[in-house]
């Protein structure tokens, strides 16, 4: 908090105290945390950052908390150089930012929740909660358990069973709402107002969003303090993509990196693509859609920060593209087969869109690209059941092996 100067309205610039407010009372624009960059420059150096433990908190000068309370192993996930996948896509320099192994709940949400949960404690909320499409519920419940906080997570009733289990195991109150994510979110906004609870992605949203910048910080640091040419990010509620951008800009602002910002591209499933459709139609504000996709983590039809995504994509010279369910399934298999990384449909969406952007010539063969893989495939494994080969079953004798398996092998 040393360097936080307050919350600033994204639209009209009105300045507020850093409390649990999230909309501007003047114009209803979203509030975001602003910092004293001049004071940070020279304090937050590459050496200082590199000397710290590998978590989001290595960037604490640019995060809005007094003292971290959770997430000591969240973030600083691998940036994997993907050479076999690059060859299949037809590019020379491709990286996977692998949040499928984030700690403790295997998705990008551990970044944002680490900050929101710390803030919920700081601001004295009696209850910590969220409106979730799945991964957020698990992360909020896990961090609440560590902090010993009362926890309520609200989910759409038709979520994947493993995602429900992955939240319920931490013993929060799990409330399944008969409606889609947008209905859940509306209900939670009313509850936050009425009961004064802290919801990670509603009244704590300004802080939650700050956690997502760490994805941008890490990409720069892990590339050896430079920008890539392209970043492909998934879009659900629209938190992540604009905050990757904010992180990239802040690093330049405080002197940690120089050069041209990458082009940032938005990936959505065809069954829930309000932002991509807005980009295609030339609209500044996405029109709500009714989601219908296997990528349930991305099934938000009315994204809170959708207009910010549209703006950032345009400002950076990026593009948007959508992937069908079949393309998503193919991309999940492609990533697993070429790089040994098993992602959920959100990651399949992002990779499928990266592939489309290469095919369209938007990403050129000699340019560097980072693909953000934000969730883990083991949570949604049932979706892939029909796409894997059953095992070859044999008897216990060498002759059984030789009769059934050996004839299929290339060399004896
Ligand atoms: C939440 C989520 C996203 C992106 O969500 P935003 O609301 O746009 O920040 C992407 N992938 C996965 C797996 C998620 O859970
Ligand atoms: Zn305003």
């Amino acid at each position: 908090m040393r360097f936080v100067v307050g919350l600033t309205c994204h639209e009209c610039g009105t300045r507020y105290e850093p409390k649990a407010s999230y909309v501007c009372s003047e114009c209803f624009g979203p509030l975001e945390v602003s910092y004293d960059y001049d004071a940070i420059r020279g304090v937050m150096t590459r050496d200082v950052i590199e000397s710290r433990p590998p978590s989001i908190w290595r960037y604490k000068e640019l995060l809005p908390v007094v003292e971290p309370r959770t997430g000591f192993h969240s973030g600083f996930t691998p940036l994997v150089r993907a050479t076999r996948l690059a060859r299949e896509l037809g590019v020379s320099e491709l990286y996977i930012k692998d949040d499928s192994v984030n700690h403790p709940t295997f998705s990008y949400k551990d970044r944002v929740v680490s900050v929101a949960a710390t803030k919920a404690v700081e601001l004295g909320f009696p209850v910590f909660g969220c409106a979730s499409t799945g991964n957020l519920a698990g992360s909020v419940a896990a961090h609440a358990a560590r902090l010993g906080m009362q926890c309520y997570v609200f989910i759409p009733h038709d979520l994947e069973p493993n995602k429900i289990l992955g939240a319920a195991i931490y013993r929060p109150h799990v409330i399944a709402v008969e409606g889609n994510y947008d209905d859940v979110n509306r209900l939670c906004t009313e509850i936050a107002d009425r009961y004064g609870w802290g919801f990670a992605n509603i009244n704590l949203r300004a802080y939650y969003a700050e956690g997502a910048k760490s994805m941008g910080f890490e990409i720069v640091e892990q590339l050896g303090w430079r920008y890539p040419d392209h970043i492909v990010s998934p879009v659900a509620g629209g938190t992540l993509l604009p905050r990757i951008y904010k992180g990239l800009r802040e690093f330049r602002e405080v002197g940690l990196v120089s050069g041209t910002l990458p082009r940032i591209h938005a990936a959505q499933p065809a069954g829930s693509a309000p932002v991509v459709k807005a980009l295609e139609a030339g609209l500044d504000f996405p029109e709500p859609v009714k989601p219908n996709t296997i990528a349930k983590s991305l099934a938000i039809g009315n994204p809170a920060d959708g207009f910010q995504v549209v703006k950032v994509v345009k400002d950076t010279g990026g593009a948007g593209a959508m992937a069908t369910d079949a393309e998503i399934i193919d991309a999940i298999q492609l990533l697993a087969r070429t790089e040994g990384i098993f992602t959920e449909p959100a990651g399949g969406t992002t990779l499928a869109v990266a592939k489309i952007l290469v095919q369209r010539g938007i990403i050129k063969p000699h340019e560097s690209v980072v693909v953000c893989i934000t969730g883990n495939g083991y949570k949604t494994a049932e979706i892939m059941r029909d796409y894997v080969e059953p095992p070859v079953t044999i008897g216990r004798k060498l002759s059984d092996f030789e009769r059934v398996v050996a004839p299929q092998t290339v060399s004896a």
Side-chain angles (χ1 to χ4, degrees):
M1 285 303 274
R2 236 176 102 198
F3 301 103
V4 170
V5 293
L7 296 176
T8 307
C9 174
H10 190 78
E11 298 305 301
C12 73
T14 304
R15 186 65 63 78
Y16 298 84
E17 287 288 299
K19 292 277 150 43
S21 12
Y22 61 111
V23 284
C24 176
S25 48
E26 304 292 318
C27 77
F28 301 103
L31 301 184
E32 68 177 27
V33 182
S34 39
Y35 300 82
D36 181 353
Y37 297 118
D38 291 334
I40 294 173
R41 204 173 302 127
V43 172
M44 188 191 189
T45 62
R46 292 180 184 181
D47 284 347
V48 166
I49 293 169
E50 285 168 354
S51 72
R52 290 175 176 163
S55 80
I56 64 162
W57 300 115
R58 68 205 266 114
Y59 311 110
K60 65 181 179 190
E61 286 83 356
L62 287 167
L63 293 171
V65 308
V66 175
E67 193 193 322
R69 302 200 185 235
T70 181
F72 297 106
H73 305 276
S74 299
F76 219 73
T77 55
L79 183 75
V80 179
R81 178 83 194 249
T83 43
R84 282 166 46 78
L85 179 60
R87 214 173 303 135
E88 294 238 3
L89 259 56
V91 292
S92 56
E93 197 184 347
L94 174 69
Y95 303 86
I96 298 298
K97 181 58 176 156
D98 188 8
D99 267 20
S100 77
V101 294
N102 211 346
H103 184 276
T105 63
F106 305 97
S107 87
Y108 124 79
K109 294 302 192 301
D110 289 321
R111 301 175 180 278
V112 285
V113 173
S114 299
V115 178
T118 297
K119 209 65 200 174
V121 175
E122 243 172 54
L123 295 171
F125 281 107
V127 173
F128 186 45
C130 66
S132 174
T133 58
N135 285 320
L136 183 57
S139 187
V140 160
H143 287 273
R146 264 193 73 86
L147 290 163
M149 297 184 82
Q150 261 211 80
C151 181
Y152 281 77
V153 299
F154 294 76
I155 53 173
H157 65 115
D158 63 346
L159 216 56
E160 300 101 327
N162 274 345
K163 286 214 177 128
I164 300 177
L165 191 151
I169 192 71
Y170 306 108
R171 285 303 199 100
H173 300 271
V174 181
I175 315 297
V177 177
E178 290 171 339
N180 62 25
Y181 172 80
D182 299 291
D183 301 314
V184 177
N185 193 281
R186 205 172 314 116
L187 172 63
C188 289
T189 305
E190 292 180 49
I191 296 170
D193 281 350
R194 171 77 63 93
Y195 292 90
W197 293 357
F199 281 79
N201 55 336
I202 298 177
N203 49 350
L204 291 164
R205 190 173 183 85
Y207 303 103
Y208 165 94
E210 289 298 289
K213 295 187 308 190
S214 60
M215 181 94 96
F217 296 156
E218 290 171 20
I219 289 170
V220 170
E221 180 180 349
Q222 291 172 316
L223 280 175
W225 302 103
R226 66 182 173 101
Y227 290 137
D229 296 316
H230 300 269
I231 296 177
V232 187
S233 165
V235 175
T239 303
L240 178 61
L241 188 150
R243 274 44 178 232
I244 290 174
Y245 179 64
K246 188 180 180 194
L248 298 174
R249 284 172 41 130
E250 285 182 340
F251 258 25
R252 197 168 65 180
E253 181 75 30
V254 302
L256 287 164
V257 66
S258 58
T260 313
L261 287 164
R263 295 165 71 182
I264 306 181
H265 310 285
Q268 293 201 296
S272 184
V275 166
V276 172
K277 285 178 180 158
L279 284 161
E280 287 175 352
L283 300 174
D284 289 337
F285 289 85
E287 305 232 2
V289 302
K290 220 173 163 46
N292 178 18
T293 168
I294 54 162
K296 293 194 190 297
S297 308
L298 303 181
I300 296 183
N302 189 11
D305 290 342
F307 70 100
Q308 295 199 52
V309 175
V310 170
K311 184 159 193 315
V312 167
V313 168
K314 281 191 195 160
D315 286 354
T316 65
M322 48 185 144
T324 62
D325 284 357
E327 289 169 327
I328 292 168
I329 298 271
D330 281 350
I332 292 172
Q333 293 173 291
L334 175 64
L335 183 61
R337 172 167 66 74
T338 55
E339 299 296 336
I341 294 171
F342 183 17
T343 186
E344 65 152 277
T349 304
T350 313
L351 179 56
V353 162
K355 198 172 157 183
I356 290 167
L357 296 174
V358 174
Q359 282 161 359
R360 290 187 188 159
I362 292 170
I363 297 172
K364 306 243 165 20
H366 63 278
E367 292 173 333
S368 55
V369 49
V370 174
V371 176
C372 299
I373 295 298
T374 46
N376 193 297
Y378 290 101
K379 288 188 207 178
T380 54
E382 69 273 15
I383 290 175
M384 301 309 290
R385 187 137 299 152
D386 296 339
Y387 301 92
V388 292
E389 295 283 325
V392 177
T393 305
I394 61 170
R396 283 175 287 180
K397 294 196 288 292
L398 181 62
S399 59
D400 293 322
F401 170 78
E402 285 179 335
R403 185 167 42 82
V404 182
V405 182
Q408 303 174 3
T409 61
V410 183
S411 59

